[in-house]
Amino acid sequence: MVHQSIYWIVLAGTVTVTACSDSMAPGVPELAIRDTTLLVDETLIVPVTAVDAHGREITNPSITFTSSVPSVLSIIGPGTVSALAPGTSVLTATMDQLVAQATITVAPQFTRLAVGAGHACGITGRGELYCWGTSIRGELGPAPGIQNCREVAGAPCSTVPIRSSSLRPVEIVAGDMHTCALAADGTAYCWGANFYGEAGTGTVSDVPVPTPVAGGHSFAHLVAGRMHTCGITTSLIAYCWGRDWTGALGAGDVSSERCLGFSIDPCSSTPRPVVGKHHWAQLAANDRATCGVTTSGELYCWGLDVGGHDGQYCQTPDNLTGCTRTPILIASAKAYKATSIGDVHHCQQALDGTLECWGANYWGMFGDGTVNSSPTPVTAAGGATYASFVALRTGTCALSSNGHAQCWGRGDSGAIGNGALQDALSPVDVRGGYRFLALAASGVSDFVCGTTDTGRAYCWGAGAFGQLGNNTFLSASEPVLVRLIPTSPAATAKRASRGG
């Protein structure tokens, strides 16, 4: 009989039994459901089990579910819920006069993204790390599900996000064929290609699993160039490691190690401090240079083609004198809050939100309506103000204060995002009307990704290696949805109370 039974309901697939004690009055049933976090678009079947006091299963118990915020969490069928949008909802289970409730948090699919040359990675709203695209040297990490894509992409790859490792980072960056992540305790981890010590592990062998960067530094921010990596410590000191052929490490001299990758070049397999005793707020890197904004808003750059040289030997066959291994000030009356650099152009954002660019402007990367290059900063994007911006290899993208995205520069890969394959010399709207929260690109990428206010991520541009994450090897001239298939969530049980 019902009044002699004890029941429980389990959310997220883990059974929690409500125990019966001698002090519990016989015939008092209970329910238990679970708090959990779902990602947007995740569907969860709520298993329901009813057992009497003798351990016998009660078949077909009549249990109903309701959601306090249906626009966040929807009941889409008997015992099945779907996460629709970021937010929280109270899920209520009712059986006869028993009521059990649990708080369901719906988190964005991705809160942070990183874009490299042929791969991308993201941190989910549950803190999990996923990567997609090429895995030529293990840049996706020790992820199950990597495919043999050699016939199509020429390398192992995944065309959809796959769980990279058990690491739960707070920041992620991607280079050419290496990836680095920052843990909450300040430890930097890197994996993938390590030709020139860009993983910072003290060796020049590829790194198959996330491995701590040598030196025991506590980092607050990381950035990856093509084959070098830099980080800002919690004490605001910058360190760089990896390929040092052009002085991109900023260590003030030629690194003593020699590494054989594409050529035998100076390198450092462990972090070297950037000279100058500056306190850094943010860094950007490409193939041959690094730039940084200090806490006082000054912009410095070092490496090749950064507007000056310090007389140090620049070990490139085509330019032996154009490097600086010491950060040089990019003179300006303005104070800056961010910098981002492409392959041959450099941009920075002033405190008032306007952009400046300098260097080469072959495809209109300045967004000033011309292809005129400049050795010194010039006003970019017609003087428009933006909330944030990123530079990709041959273009630039920016977000307005309402999340509206615009891009300009080279368009043959689709990276402008307006549905065309033409260069844009001035800012043009990214198609789709999405409200982006953040954009991700890098000085080695020909594609862009972004997180939106709906909790979903989109990418556009070059896609021949599956790096757009939409389960194809096709490029896209407008944003396409990154197709995340997440793992099952965990949950914590909560007991029911009597209703009525």
Side-chain angles (χ1 to χ4, degrees), residues 149-452:
C149 309
R150 294 187 184 278
E151 291 186 5
V152 180
C157 76
S158 177
T159 59
V160 295
I162 53 178
R163 186 74 183 270
S164 173
S165 70
S166 60
L167 195 66
R168 300 179 69 87
V170 296
E171 186 181 47
I172 183 77
V173 297
D176 184 21
M177 292 181 285
H178 77 289
T179 311
C180 297
L182 181 63
D185 65 0
T187 302
Y189 294 83
C190 294
W191 59 95
N194 199 27
F195 301 115
Y196 295 99
E198 57 262 47
T201 58
T203 73
V204 290
S205 300
D206 288 352
V207 182
V209 298
T211 302
V213 171
H217 305 290
S218 178
F219 289 101
H221 168 61
L222 299 175
V223 67
R226 186 184 180 205
M227 294 181 185
H228 76 287
T229 312
C230 298
I232 299 172
T233 67
T234 52
S235 58
L236 307 180
I237 304 302
Y239 288 82
C240 294
W241 55 95
R243 196 178 191 185
D244 194 28
W245 61 321
T246 60
L249 305 190
D253 58 18
V254 180
S255 294
S256 59
E257 293 180 68
R258 294 294 181 270
C259 299
L260 175 59
F262 297 103
S263 58
I264 299 176
D265 293 312
C267 65
S268 179
S269 61
T270 58
R272 300 194 67 195
V274 175
V275 297
K277 298 182 179 180
H278 304 291
H279 285 174
W280 300 98
Q282 188 249 337
L283 299 173
N286 62 13
D287 183 18
R288 301 174 297 275
T290 309
C291 291
V293 174
T294 68
T295 54
S296 60
E298 294 178 318
L299 176 66
Y300 288 83
C301 293
W302 53 98
L304 178 65
D305 292 335
V306 295
H309 62 89
D310 60 1
Q312 293 283 344
Y313 180 53
C314 181
Q315 301 197 2
T316 65
D318 57 342
N319 189 334
L320 301 180
T321 60
C323 291
T324 174
R325 297 180 179 275
T326 303
I328 60 171
L329 177 67
I330 308 302
S332 175
K334 294 184 176 181
Y336 300 107
K337 61 180 180 180
T339 180
S340 187
I341 57 180
D343 185 42
V344 291
H345 75 293
H346 311 69
C347 299
Q348 56 270 358
Q349 186 174 33
L351 297 181
D352 63 4
T354 57
L355 303 180
E356 294 177 345
C357 294
W358 49 286
N361 190 30
Y362 305 137
W363 297 282
M365 300 94 82
F366 294 1
D368 62 355
T370 77
V371 290
N372 299 328
S373 300
S374 175
T376 57
V378 298
T379 299
T385 60
Y386 294 99
S388 62
F389 85 104
V390 293
L392 56 154
R393 196 172 68 89
T394 54
T396 312
C397 295
L399 289 182
S400 65
S401 58
N402 64 0
H404 180 69
Q406 294 185 316
C407 294
W408 54 94
R410 188 171 183 174
D412 58 357
S413 69
I416 303 302
N418 65 338
L421 296 175
Q422 298 175 336
D423 298 348
L425 306 187
S426 299
V428 297
D429 295 340
V430 172
R431 182 175 287 186
Y434 302 104
R435 183 178 182 271
F436 289 96
L437 303 180
L439 298 178
S442 71
V444 298
S445 73
D446 290 316
F447 68 108
V448 185
C449 296
T451 56
T452 66

Side-chain angles (χ1 to χ4, degrees), residues 38-59:
L38 302 177
L39 302 179
V40 168
D41 293 334
E42 196 167 18
T43 298
L44 183 68
I45 298 175
V46 183
V48 179
T49 305
V51 179
D52 66 19
H54 301 288
R56 293 189 295 262
E57 183 175 352
I58 306 299
T59 60

